[in-house]
Amino acid sequence: MIRTRTLIPVLIIVIAVILIAVGVVNVMSGPASVSGQVVSVDSASVTTIANLTLEDAAGEQWLFLGSGTFSGFTPSHLIEHRTLREPITVEYEESESGELVIVGISD
């Protein structure tokens, strides 16, 4: 009887600590990223990216949605990267609907 009374609270505490640790790791990991060649760019305006398709080194194509402007990375600059075959790195987050949303871009 004594073991059951002490075992249940200990198990609850252990489970809570594990869940908190998993949550902290997810929050601290930040956005994911992928590097590769620009395949296509659709612009929403002269300065805003609507969609960006990137091909990684393994040949997998990634479709990203633009979510605003990105310092120094206009649609025309990304087209230049595509033309010159210069790689870029896209940081992204996955939306609740499963779409990949651009957080940042770097060369």
Side-chain angles (χ1 to χ4, degrees):
M1 204 65 164
I2 294 174
R3 285 187 174 168
T4 304
R5 278 191 248 157
T6 57
L7 183 62
I8 291 176
V10 169
L11 285 175
I12 291 172
I13 291 171
V14 168
I15 291 170
V17 168
I18 290 171
L19 291 175
I20 290 169
V22 168
V24 168
V25 167
N26 284 337
V27 169
M28 294 187 68
S29 65
S33 67
V34 63
S35 296
Q37 303 290 327
V38 176
V39 174
S40 67
V41 180
D42 294 323
S43 59
S45 72
V46 174
T47 60
T48 309
I49 302 163
N51 297 308
L52 170 64
T53 304
L54 193 72
E55 185 173 309
D56 66 16
E60 182 177 350
Q61 290 197 356
W62 301 70
L63 175 62
F64 299 98
L65 299 179
S67 60
T69 58
F70 305 98
S71 181
F73 287 90
T74 61
S76 62
H77 182 75
L78 291 169
I79 290 169
E80 182 180 327
H81 273 270
R82 180 187 68 195
T83 303
L84 298 174
R85 303 290 297 160
E86 294 175 341
I88 63 167
T89 299
V90 176
E91 291 184 345
Y92 66 92
E93 292 179 345
E94 189 170 344
S95 69
E96 289 181 12
S97 61
E99 297 172 316
L100 305 180
V101 180
I102 300 170
V103 175
I105 303 173
S106 61
D107 358 63

Coordinates of all heavy atoms in Angstrom, one line a residue:
M1 N 0.8 -1.2 0.0 CA 0.0 0.0 0.0 C 0.9 1.3 0.0 O 0.6 2.2 -0.7 CB -0.9 -0.1 1.2 CG -2.2 0.7 1.2 SD -3.2 0.1 -0.1 CE -4.7 0.8 0.4
I2 N 1.9 1.3 0.8 CA 2.8 2.4 0.9 C 3.5 2.6 -0.4 O 3.6 3.7 -0.9 CB 3.8 2.3 2.1 CG1 3.0 2.3 3.4 CG2 4.8 3.4 2.0 CD1 3.9 2.0 4.6
R3 N 3.9 1.6 -1.1 CA 4.6 1.7 -2.3 C 3.7 2.3 -3.4 O 4.2 3.1 -4.2 CB 5.1 0.3 -2.8 CG 6.3 -0.2 -2.1 CD 6.8 -1.4 -2.7 NE 8.0 -1.9 -2.1 CZ 8.6 -3.0 -2.3 NH1 8.0 -3.9 -3.1 NH2 9.7 -3.3 -1.7
T4 N 2.5 1.9 -3.5 CA 1.6 2.5 -4.5 C 1.4 4.0 -4.2 O 1.3 4.8 -5.2 CB 0.2 1.8 -4.4 OG1 0.4 0.4 -4.5 CG2 -0.7 2.3 -5.4
R5 N 1.2 4.4 -3.0 CA 1.0 5.8 -2.7 C 2.2 6.7 -3.0 O 2.1 7.8 -3.4 CB 0.7 6.0 -1.2 CG -0.8 5.8 -0.9 CD -1.1 6.2 0.5 NE -1.4 5.0 1.2 CZ -1.3 4.9 2.5 NH1 -1.0 5.9 3.3 NH2 -1.6 3.7 3.1
T6 N 3.4 6.1 -2.9 CA 4.6 6.9 -3.3 C 5.0 6.7 -4.7 O 5.6 7.6 -5.3 CB 5.8 6.5 -2.4 OG1 6.1 5.1 -2.5 CG2 5.6 6.9 -1.0
L7 N 4.7 5.6 -5.3 CA 5.0 5.3 -6.7 C 4.3 6.2 -7.7 O 4.8 6.7 -8.6 CB 4.8 3.9 -7.0 CG 5.2 3.4 -8.4 CD1 6.7 3.6 -8.6 CD2 4.9 1.9 -8.6
I8 N 3.0 6.4 -7.5 CA 2.2 7.2 -8.4 C 2.6 8.6 -8.5 O 2.9 9.2 -9.6 CB 0.7 7.1 -8.1 CG1 0.2 5.6 -8.4 CG2 -0.2 8.1 -8.8 CD1 -1.2 5.3 -8.0
P9 N 2.8 9.3 -7.4 CA 3.3 10.7 -7.5 C 4.7 10.8 -8.1 O 5.0 11.7 -8.9 CB 3.4 11.2 -6.0 CG 2.4 10.3 -5.3 CD 2.5 9.0 -6.0
V10 N 5.6 9.8 -7.8 CA 6.9 9.8 -8.4 C 6.8 9.7 -10.0 O 7.5 10.3 -10.7 CB 7.8 8.7 -7.8 CG1 9.1 8.5 -8.6 CG2 8.1 9.0 -6.4
L11 N 5.9 8.8 -10.4 CA 5.7 8.6 -11.9 C 5.2 9.8 -12.5 O 5.6 10.2 -13.6 CB 4.8 7.4 -12.1 CG 5.4 6.0 -11.9 CD1 4.3 4.9 -12.1 CD2 6.5 5.8 -12.9
I12 N 4.3 10.5 -11.8 CA 3.7 11.7 -12.4 C 4.8 12.8 -12.5 O 4.9 13.5 -13.5 CB 2.5 12.2 -11.5 CG1 1.3 11.3 -11.7 CG2 2.1 13.7 -11.9 CD1 0.2 11.5 -10.7
I13 N 5.6 12.9 -11.5 CA 6.7 13.9 -11.6 C 7.7 13.5 -12.7 O 8.1 14.4 -13.4 CB 7.4 14.0 -10.2 CG1 6.5 14.6 -9.2 CG2 8.7 14.7 -10.3 CD1 7.0 14.6 -7.8
V14 N 8.1 12.3 -12.9 CA 9.0 11.9 -13.9 C 8.4 12.2 -15.3 O 9.1 12.7 -16.2 CB 9.3 10.4 -13.8 CG1 10.1 9.9 -15.0 CG2 10.2 10.2 -12.5
I15 N 7.1 11.9 -15.5 CA 6.5 12.1 -16.8 C 6.4 13.6 -17.0 O 6.7 14.1 -18.1 CB 5.1 11.5 -16.8 CG1 5.2 10.0 -16.8 CG2 4.3 12.0 -18.0 CD1 3.9 9.2 -16.7
A16 N 6.1 14.4 -16.0 CA 6.1 15.9 -16.2 C 7.4 16.4 -16.6 O 7.6 17.3 -17.5 CB 5.6 16.5 -14.9
V17 N 8.5 16.0 -15.9 CA 9.9 16.4 -16.2 C 10.2 16.1 -17.7 O 10.8 16.9 -18.4 CB 10.9 15.8 -15.3 CG1 12.3 16.0 -15.7 CG2 10.7 16.4 -13.9
I18 N 9.9 14.9 -18.1 CA 10.2 14.5 -19.5 C 9.4 15.3 -20.5 O 10.0 15.8 -21.5 CB 9.8 13.0 -19.7 CG1 10.8 12.1 -19.0 CG2 9.8 12.6 -21.2 CD1 10.4 10.6 -18.9
L19 N 8.1 15.6 -20.3 CA 7.4 16.5 -21.2 C 7.9 17.9 -21.2 O 8.0 18.5 -22.3 CB 5.9 16.5 -20.7 CG 5.1 15.2 -21.0 CD1 3.7 15.2 -20.4 CD2 5.1 14.8 -22.4
I20 N 8.3 18.4 -20.1 CA 8.9 19.8 -20.0 C 10.2 19.8 -20.8 O 10.5 20.7 -21.6 CB 9.1 20.2 -18.6 CG1 7.7 20.5 -18.0 CG2 10.0 21.5 -18.5 CD1 7.8 20.7 -16.5
A21 N 11.0 18.7 -20.7 CA 12.3 18.7 -21.4 C 12.1 18.6 -22.9 O 12.8 19.3 -23.6 CB 13.1 17.5 -20.9
V22 N 11.2 17.8 -23.3 CA 10.9 17.7 -24.8 C 10.4 19.1 -25.3 O 10.8 19.5 -26.4 CB 9.8 16.6 -25.0 CG1 9.3 16.7 -26.5 CG2 10.4 15.3 -24.8
G23 N 9.5 19.8 -24.5 CA 9.1 21.1 -24.9 C 10.2 22.1 -25.0 O 10.2 22.9 -26.0
V24 N 11.1 22.1 -24.1 CA 12.2 23.1 -24.1 C 13.1 22.8 -25.3 O 13.6 23.7 -26.0 CB 13.0 23.0 -22.8 CG1 14.4 23.7 -22.9 CG2 12.2 23.5 -21.6
V25 N 13.4 21.5 -25.6 CA 14.2 21.2 -26.8 C 13.6 21.7 -28.0 O 14.3 22.2 -28.9 CB 14.5 19.7 -26.8 CG1 15.1 19.2 -28.1 CG2 15.4 19.3 -25.7
N26 N 12.3 21.5 -28.2 CA 11.6 21.9 -29.4 C 11.6 23.4 -29.5 O 11.8 24.0 -30.6 CB 10.1 21.5 -29.4 CG 10.0 20.0 -29.7 OD1 10.9 19.4 -30.4 ND2 9.0 19.4 -29.3
V27 N 11.5 24.2 -28.5 CA 11.5 25.6 -28.5 C 12.9 26.2 -28.8 O 13.1 27.1 -29.6 CB 10.9 26.2 -27.2 CG1 11.2 27.7 -27.1 CG2 9.5 25.9 -27.1
M28 N 13.9 25.6 -28.2 CA 15.3 26.1 -28.4 C 15.9 25.6 -29.7 O 16.9 26.2 -30.1 CB 16.1 25.6 -27.2 CG 15.7 26.2 -25.9 SD 16.8 25.8 -24.5 CE 18.2 26.7 -25.0
S29 N 15.4 24.7 -30.4 CA 16.0 24.2 -31.6 C 15.9 25.3 -32.7 O 16.7 25.3 -33.6 CB 15.4 22.9 -32.0 OG 14.0 23.0 -32.4
G30 N 14.9 26.1 -32.7 CA 14.7 27.2 -33.7 C 14.2 26.6 -35.0 O 13.8 25.5 -35.1
P31 N 14.2 27.5 -36.0 CA 13.7 27.1 -37.3 C 14.7 26.1 -38.0 O 15.9 26.1 -37.8 CB 13.6 28.3 -38.1 CG 14.6 29.3 -37.5 CD 14.6 28.9 -36.0
A32 N 14.1 25.2 -38.8 CA 14.9 24.3 -39.6 C 15.4 25.0 -40.8 O 15.0 26.1 -41.1 CB 14.0 23.1 -40.1
S33 N 16.4 24.4 -41.5 CA 17.0 25.0 -42.7 C 17.4 24.0 -43.7 O 17.6 22.8 -43.4 CB 18.2 25.9 -42.3 OG 19.3 25.1 -41.9
V34 N 17.4 24.5 -45.0 CA 17.9 23.6 -46.1 C 18.6 24.5 -47.0 O 18.3 25.7 -47.2 CB 16.6 22.9 -46.8 CG1 15.7 23.9 -47.4 CG2 17.1 21.9 -47.8
S35 N 19.7 23.9 -47.6 CA 20.5 24.7 -48.6 C 20.3 24.0 -50.0 O 20.2 22.8 -50.1 CB 22.0 24.6 -48.2 OG 22.2 25.3 -47.0
G36 N 20.5 24.8 -51.0 CA 20.4 24.3 -52.4 C 20.3 25.3 -53.4 O 20.5 26.5 -53.2
Q37 N 19.9 24.9 -54.6 CA 19.8 25.8 -55.8 C 18.4 26.3 -55.9 O 17.4 25.5 -55.8 CB 20.2 25.0 -57.0 CG 21.6 24.4 -57.0 CD 22.7 25.5 -57.0 OE1 22.5 26.5 -57.7 NE2 23.8 25.2 -56.3
V38 N 18.2 27.5 -56.3 CA 16.9 28.1 -56.6 C 16.4 27.5 -57.9 O 17.1 27.5 -58.9 CB 17.0 29.6 -56.7 CG1 15.6 30.2 -57.1 CG2 17.5 30.2 -55.4
V39 N 15.2 26.9 -57.9 CA 14.6 26.3 -59.1 C 13.6 27.4 -59.6 O 13.6 27.6 -60.9 CB 13.8 25.0 -58.7 CG1 13.0 24.5 -59.9 CG2 14.8 24.0 -58.2
S40 N 12.8 28.0 -58.8 CA 11.8 29.0 -59.3 C 11.5 30.0 -58.2 O 11.6 29.6 -57.0 CB 10.6 28.3 -59.8 OG 9.8 27.7 -58.8
V41 N 11.1 31.2 -58.6 CA 10.7 32.2 -57.6 C 9.4 32.9 -58.2 O 9.4 33.3 -59.4 CB 11.8 33.3 -57.5 CG1 11.3 34.4 -56.5 CG2 13.1 32.7 -57.1
D42 N 8.4 32.9 -57.4 CA 7.2 33.7 -57.8 C 7.1 34.9 -56.8 O 7.2 34.8 -55.6 CB 5.9 32.9 -57.6 CG 5.9 31.7 -58.5 OD1 6.3 31.8 -59.7 OD2 5.4 30.6 -58.1
S43 N 7.0 36.1 -57.4 CA 7.0 37.3 -56.6 C 5.6 37.8 -56.4 O 4.7 37.7 -57.3 CB 7.8 38.4 -57.3 OG 7.3 38.7 -58.6
A44 N 5.3 38.3 -55.2 CA 4.1 38.9 -54.9 C 4.1 40.4 -55.3 O 3.1 41.0 -55.6 CB 3.8 38.8 -53.4
S45 N 5.4 41.0 -55.2 CA 5.6 42.3 -55.6 C 7.1 42.4 -56.0 O 7.8 41.4 -56.0 CB 5.3 43.3 -54.5 OG 6.3 43.3 -53.5
V46 N 7.6 43.6 -56.3 CA 9.0 43.8 -56.6 C 9.9 43.4 -55.5 O 11.0 42.9 -55.7 CB 9.3 45.2 -57.0 CG1 10.8 45.5 -57.3 CG2 8.5 45.6 -58.2
T47 N 9.5 43.5 -54.2 CA 10.3 43.2 -53.1 C 9.9 42.0 -52.3 O 10.5 41.6 -51.3 CB 10.3 44.4 -52.1 OG1 9.0 44.7 -51.7 CG2 10.9 45.7 -52.8
T48 N 8.7 41.4 -52.6 CA 8.2 40.4 -51.8 C 8.1 39.0 -52.5 O 7.7 39.0 -53.7 CB 6.7 40.7 -51.3 OG1 6.8 42.0 -50.8 CG2 6.2 39.8 -50.3
I49 N 8.5 38.0 -51.9 CA 8.5 36.6 -52.4 C 7.2 36.0 -52.1 O 6.7 35.9 -50.9 CB 9.6 35.8 -51.8 CG1 11.0 36.4 -52.1 CG2 9.6 34.3 -52.3 CD1 12.1 35.9 -51.2
A50 N 6.5 35.4 -53.1 CA 5.2 34.7 -52.9 C 5.6 33.2 -52.6 O 5.1 32.6 -51.6 CB 4.3 34.8 -54.0
N51 N 6.3 32.6 -53.5 CA 6.7 31.2 -53.4 C 8.2 31.1 -53.9 O 8.7 31.8 -54.7 CB 5.9 30.3 -54.4 CG 4.5 30.3 -54.0 OD1 4.1 30.0 -52.9 ND2 3.6 30.5 -55.0
L52 N 8.9 30.1 -53.3 CA 10.3 29.8 -53.7 C 10.4 28.3 -53.7 O 10.0 27.6 -52.8 CB 11.2 30.4 -52.6 CG 12.7 30.0 -52.7 CD1 13.3 30.5 -54.0 CD2 13.4 30.6 -51.5
T53 N 11.0 27.8 -54.8 CA 11.3 26.3 -54.9 C 12.8 26.2 -54.9 O 13.5 26.8 -55.7 CB 10.6 25.7 -56.2 OG1 9.2 26.0 -56.2 CG2 10.9 24.2 -56.2
L54 N 13.2 25.3 -54.1 CA 14.7 25.1 -53.9 C 14.9 23.6 -54.1 O 14.1 22.7 -53.7 CB 15.1 25.5 -52.4 CG 16.5 25.6 -52.1 CD1 17.1 26.9 -52.7 CD2 16.7 25.7 -50.6
E55 N 16.1 23.2 -54.7 CA 16.5 21.8 -54.9 C 17.7 21.6 -54.1 O 18.7 22.3 -54.3 CB 16.7 21.5 -56.3 CG 17.0 20.0 -56.6 CD 17.1 19.7 -58.0 OE1 16.2 20.0 -58.8 OE2 18.1 19.0 -58.4
D56 N 17.7 20.6 -53.1 CA 18.8 20.3 -52.3 C 19.8 19.4 -53.0 O 19.6 19.0 -54.1 CB 18.4 19.8 -50.9 CG 17.7 18.4 -51.0 OD1 17.8 17.7 -52.1 OD2 17.1 18.0 -50.0
A57 N 20.9 19.1 -52.4 CA 22.0 18.3 -53.0 C 21.5 16.9 -53.3 O 22.1 16.3 -54.2 CB 23.2 18.2 -52.0
A58 N 20.5 16.4 -52.7 CA 20.0 15.1 -52.9 C 19.0 15.0 -54.1 O 18.5 14.0 -54.5 CB 19.3 14.5 -51.7
G59 N 18.6 16.2 -54.6 CA 17.7 16.3 -55.7 C 16.2 16.5 -55.3 O 15.3 16.6 -56.1
E60 N 16.0 16.6 -54.0 CA 14.7 16.8 -53.5 C 14.3 18.3 -53.6 O 15.1 19.2 -53.3 CB 14.6 16.5 -52.0 CG 13.2 16.6 -51.4 CD 13.1 16.2 -50.0 OE1 14.0 15.6 -49.4 OE2 12.0 16.4 -49.4
Q61 N 13.1 18.6 -54.1 CA 12.6 19.9 -54.3 C 11.7 20.3 -53.1 O 10.9 19.5 -52.6 CB 11.9 20.1 -55.6 CG 12.8 20.0 -56.8 CD 12.2 20.6 -58.0 OE1 11.0 21.0 -58.1 NE2 13.0 20.6 -59.1
W62 N 12.0 21.6 -52.6 CA 11.3 22.1 -51.4 C 10.5 23.3 -51.9 O 11.0 24.2 -52.5 CB 12.3 22.5 -50.4 CG 13.2 21.4 -49.9 CD1 14.2 20.8 -50.6 CD2 13.1 20.9 -48.6 NE1 14.8 19.9 -49.7 CE2 14.1 19.9 -48.5 CE3 12.3 21.1 -47.4 CZ2 14.4 19.1 -47.4 CZ3 12.6 20.3 -46.3 CH2 13.6 19.4 -46.3
L63 N 9.2 23.4 -51.6 CA 8.4 24.5 -51.9 C 8.1 25.3 -50.6 O 7.6 24.8 -49.6 CB 7.0 24.1 -52.5 CG 6.0 25.2 -52.8 CD1 6.6 26.2 -53.8 CD2 4.7 24.7 -53.2
F64 N 8.5 26.6 -50.7 CA 8.4 27.5 -49.5 C 7.4 28.6 -49.9 O 7.3 29.1 -51.0 CB 9.7 28.1 -49.1 CG 10.7 27.1 -48.7 CD1 11.7 26.7 -49.7 CD2 10.8 26.6 -47.5 CE1 12.7 25.8 -49.3 CE2 11.7 25.7 -47.1 CZ 12.7 25.3 -48.1
L65 N 6.7 29.1 -48.8 CA 5.8 30.3 -49.0 C 6.5 31.4 -48.4 O 7.1 31.3 -47.3 CB 4.5 30.1 -48.2 CG 3.6 28.9 -48.7 CD1 2.4 28.8 -47.9 CD2 3.2 29.1 -50.2
G66 N 6.5 32.6 -49.1 CA 7.1 33.8 -48.6 C 6.1 34.4 -47.5 O 4.9 34.2 -47.6
S67 N 6.7 35.0 -46.6 CA 5.9 35.6 -45.5 C 6.3 37.1 -45.3 O 6.1 37.6 -44.2 CB 6.0 34.8 -44.2 OG 7.4 34.9 -43.8
G68 N 6.8 37.7 -46.3 CA 7.2 39.1 -46.2 C 8.5 39.4 -47.0 O 8.8 38.7 -48.0
T69 N 9.2 40.4 -46.6 CA 10.4 40.7 -47.2 C 11.6 40.2 -46.4 O 11.5 40.0 -45.2 CB 10.6 42.3 -47.4 OG1 10.5 42.9 -46.1 CG2 9.5 42.9 -48.2
F70 N 12.7 39.9 -47.1 CA 13.9 39.3 -46.4 C 15.1 40.2 -46.9 O 15.4 40.3 -48.0 CB 14.1 37.8 -46.9 CG 12.8 37.0 -46.6 CD1 11.9 36.8 -47.6 CD2 12.6 36.6 -45.3 CE1 10.7 36.1 -47.3 CE2 11.4 35.9 -45.0 CZ 10.5 35.6 -46.0
S71 N 15.7 40.7 -45.9 CA 16.8 41.7 -46.1 C 17.8 41.2 -47.2 O 18.5 40.2 -47.1 CB 17.6 41.9 -44.8 OG 18.6 42.8 -45.0
G72 N 17.8 42.0 -48.3 CA 18.7 41.7 -49.4 C 18.2 40.6 -50.4 O 18.9 40.4 -51.4
F73 N 17.1 40.0 -50.1 CA 16.7 38.9 -51.0 C 15.4 39.2 -51.6 O 14.3 38.7 -51.2 CB 16.6 37.6 -50.2 CG 18.0 37.0 -49.9 CD1 18.7 37.4 -48.7 CD2 18.6 36.2 -50.8 CE1 19.9 36.9 -48.4 CE2 19.9 35.7 -50.5 CZ 20.5 36.1 -49.3
T74 N 15.4 40.0 -52.7 CA 14.3 40.3 -53.5 C 14.1 39.2 -54.5 O 15.0 38.4 -54.7 CB 14.5 41.6 -54.2 OG1 15.6 41.5 -55.1 CG2 14.7 42.8 -53.3
P75 N 12.9 39.1 -55.1 CA 12.7 38.1 -56.1 C 13.8 38.1 -57.2 O 14.3 37.1 -57.7 CB 11.3 38.3 -56.7 CG 10.6 38.9 -55.5 CD 11.7 39.8 -54.8
S76 N 14.2 39.3 -57.6 CA 15.2 39.5 -58.7 C 16.5 39.0 -58.2 O 17.3 38.4 -59.0 CB 15.3 40.9 -59.2 OG 15.7 41.8 -58.1
H77 N 16.9 39.2 -57.0 CA 18.2 38.7 -56.4 C 18.2 37.2 -56.4 O 19.2 36.5 -56.8 CB 18.4 39.2 -55.0 CG 19.7 38.8 -54.5 ND1 20.9 39.3 -54.9 CD2 20.0 37.9 -53.5 CE1 21.9 38.7 -54.2 NE2 21.4 37.8 -53.4
L78 N 17.0 36.5 -56.1 CA 16.9 35.1 -56.1 C 17.0 34.5 -57.5 O 17.6 33.5 -57.7 CB 15.7 34.6 -55.4 CG 15.7 34.9 -53.9 CD1 14.3 34.7 -53.3 CD2 16.8 34.0 -53.2
I79 N 16.4 35.3 -58.5 CA 16.5 34.8 -59.9 C 18.0 34.9 -60.3 O 18.5 34.0 -61.1 CB 15.6 35.7 -60.8 CG1 14.2 35.4 -60.4 CG2 15.9 35.5 -62.2 CD1 13.1 36.3 -61.0
E80 N 18.7 35.9 -59.8 CA 20.2 36.0 -60.1 C 20.9 34.7 -59.6 O 21.7 34.1 -60.2 CB 20.7 37.2 -59.5 CG 22.2 37.4 -59.8 CD 22.7 38.7 -59.2 OE1 22.0 39.7 -59.1 OE2 23.9 38.7 -58.7
H81 N 20.5 34.3 -58.4 CA 21.1 33.1 -57.8 C 20.8 31.9 -58.6 O 21.7 31.0 -58.8 CB 20.6 32.9 -56.4 CG 21.4 33.6 -55.3 ND1 22.5 33.0 -54.7 CD2 21.3 34.8 -54.8 CE1 23.0 33.9 -53.8 NE2 22.3 35.0 -53.9
R82 N 19.6 31.8 -59.1 CA 19.2 30.7 -60.0 C 20.0 30.7 -61.3 O 20.5 29.7 -61.7 CB 17.7 30.8 -60.3 CG 17.2 29.6 -61.2 CD 15.8 29.8 -61.7 NE 15.8 31.0 -62.6 CZ 14.7 31.6 -63.0 NH1 13.5 31.2 -62.5 NH2 14.7 32.6 -63.9
T83 N 20.1 31.9 -61.9 CA 20.9 32.0 -63.2 C 22.4 31.6 -63.0 O 22.9 30.9 -63.8 CB 20.8 33.4 -63.7 OG1 19.4 33.7 -63.9 CG2 21.5 33.5 -65.1
L84 N 23.0 32.1 -61.9 CA 24.4 31.8 -61.7 C 24.7 30.5 -61.0 O 25.8 30.1 -60.7 CB 25.0 33.0 -60.9 CG 24.9 34.3 -61.6 CD1 25.4 35.4 -60.6 CD2 25.7 34.3 -62.9
R85 N 23.6 29.8 -60.6 CA 23.7 28.5 -59.9 C 24.4 28.6 -58.5 O 25.2 27.8 -58.1 CB 24.3 27.4 -60.7 CG 23.7 27.1 -62.1 CD 22.4 26.4 -62.0 NE 22.5 25.1 -61.4 CZ 21.5 24.4 -60.9 NH1 20.3 25.0 -60.9 NH2 21.7 23.3 -60.3
E86 N 24.2 29.8 -57.9 CA 24.7 30.0 -56.6 C 23.8 29.5 -55.5 O 22.6 29.9 -55.5 CB 25.0 31.5 -56.4 CG 26.1 32.1 -57.3 CD 26.2 33.6 -57.1 OE1 25.3 34.3 -56.6 OE2 27.3 34.1 -57.6
P87 N 24.2 28.7 -54.6 CA 23.3 28.1 -53.6 C 22.9 29.2 -52.5 O 23.5 30.2 -52.3 CB 24.1 27.1 -52.9 CG 25.5 27.5 -53.1 CD 25.6 28.2 -54.4
I88 N 21.7 28.9 -51.9 CA 21.2 29.7 -50.8 C 20.8 28.8 -49.7 O 20.7 27.6 -49.9 CB 20.0 30.6 -51.2 CG1 18.8 29.8 -51.7 CG2 20.4 31.6 -52.3 CD1 17.5 30.6 -51.8
T89 N 20.6 29.3 -48.5 CA 20.1 28.6 -47.4 C 18.8 29.2 -47.0 O 18.7 30.5 -46.8 CB 21.1 28.6 -46.2 OG1 22.3 27.9 -46.7 CG2 20.5 27.8 -45.0
V90 N 17.7 28.5 -46.8 CA 16.4 29.0 -46.4 C 16.1 28.4 -45.0 O 16.2 27.2 -44.8 CB 15.3 28.5 -47.3 CG1 13.9 29.0 -46.8 CG2 15.6 29.1 -48.7
E91 N 15.9 29.3 -44.0 CA 15.4 28.9 -42.7 C 13.9 28.9 -42.8 O 13.3 29.9 -43.4 CB 15.9 29.8 -41.6 CG 17.4 29.7 -41.4 CD 17.8 30.6 -40.2 OE1 17.0 31.5 -39.8 OE2 18.9 30.4 -39.7
Y92 N 13.2 27.9 -42.3 CA 11.8 27.9 -42.4 C 11.1 27.2 -41.2 O 11.8 26.6 -40.3 CB 11.4 27.0 -43.6 CG 11.8 25.6 -43.5 CD1 10.9 24.6 -43.1 CD2 13.1 25.2 -43.9 CE1 11.3 23.3 -43.0 CE2 13.4 23.9 -43.8 CZ 12.6 22.9 -43.4 OH 12.9 21.6 -43.3
E93 N 9.8 27.5 -41.1 CA 9.0 26.8 -40.1 C 7.8 26.2 -40.8 O 7.4 26.7 -41.8 CB 8.5 27.8 -39.0 CG 9.6 28.4 -38.2 CD 9.2 29.4 -37.1 OE1 8.0 29.9 -37.3 OE2 9.9 29.7 -36.2
E94 N 7.4 25.1 -40.2 CA 6.2 24.4 -40.8 C 4.9 24.9 -40.2 O 4.8 25.0 -38.9 CB 6.3 22.9 -40.6 CG 5.3 22.1 -41.4 CD 5.5 20.6 -41.4 OE1 6.6 20.2 -41.1 OE2 4.6 19.9 -41.7
S95 N 4.0 25.4 -41.0 CA 2.7 25.9 -40.5 C 1.9 24.7 -40.0 O 2.2 23.5 -40.3 CB 2.0 26.7 -41.6 OG 1.5 25.8 -42.6
E96 N 0.8 25.0 -39.4 CA -0.1 24.0 -38.9 C -0.7 23.2 -40.0 O -1.0 22.0 -39.9 CB -1.3 24.6 -38.0 CG -0.8 25.1 -36.7 CD -1.9 25.7 -35.9 OE1 -3.1 25.5 -36.2 OE2 -1.6 26.3 -34.9
S97 N -0.8 23.8 -41.2 CA -1.4 23.1 -42.4 C -0.3 22.3 -43.1 O -0.6 21.7 -44.2 CB -2.0 24.1 -43.3 OG -1.1 25.1 -43.8
G98 N 1.0 22.4 -42.7 CA 2.0 21.6 -43.3 C 2.8 22.3 -44.3 O 3.8 21.8 -44.9
E99 N 2.5 23.6 -44.5 CA 3.2 24.4 -45.5 C 4.5 24.9 -44.9 O 4.6 25.2 -43.7 CB 2.4 25.6 -46.0 CG 1.2 25.1 -46.7 CD 0.2 26.3 -47.0 OE1 0.0 27.1 -46.1 OE2 -0.3 26.3 -48.2
L100 N 5.6 25.0 -45.7 CA 6.9 25.5 -45.2 C 6.9 27.0 -45.5 O 6.9 27.5 -46.6 CB 8.0 24.8 -46.0 CG 8.0 23.3 -45.9 CD1 9.2 22.7 -46.7 CD2 8.0 22.8 -44.5
V101 N 7.1 27.8 -44.4 CA 7.0 29.2 -44.4 C 8.4 29.8 -44.2 O 9.1 29.4 -43.2 CB 6.1 29.8 -43.4 CG1 6.0 31.3 -43.4 CG2 4.7 29.2 -43.6
I102 N 8.9 30.6 -45.1 CA 10.3 31.2 -45.0 C 10.4 32.1 -43.8 O 9.5 32.9 -43.5 CB 10.6 32.0 -46.3 CG1 10.6 31.1 -47.5 CG2 12.0 32.6 -46.1 CD1 10.7 31.9 -48.8
V103 N 11.4 31.9 -43.0 CA 11.7 32.7 -41.8 C 12.9 33.6 -42.2 O 13.0 34.7 -41.8 CB 12.0 31.8 -40.6 CG1 12.5 32.7 -39.4 CG2 10.9 31.0 -40.2
G104 N 13.9 33.0 -42.9 CA 15.1 33.8 -43.3 C 15.8 33.2 -44.5 O 15.6 32.0 -44.8
I105 N 16.6 34.0 -45.2 CA 17.4 33.5 -46.3 C 18.8 34.0 -46.2 O 19.0 35.2 -45.8 CB 16.7 34.0 -47.7 CG1 15.3 33.5 -47.8 CG2 17.5 33.5 -48.9 CD1 14.6 34.1 -49.0
S106 N 19.7 33.2 -46.6 CA 21.1 33.6 -46.6 C 21.9 33.0 -47.8 O 21.4 32.0 -48.3 CB 21.8 33.3 -45.3 OG 21.8 31.9 -45.1
D107 N 23.0 33.6 -48.2 CA 23.8 33.0 -49.3 C 24.9 32.3 -48.8 O 25.5 32.1 -47.9 CB 24.3 33.9 -50.4 CG 24.1 35.3 -50.4 OD1 24.5 36.1 -49.5 OD2 23.5 35.7 -51.4

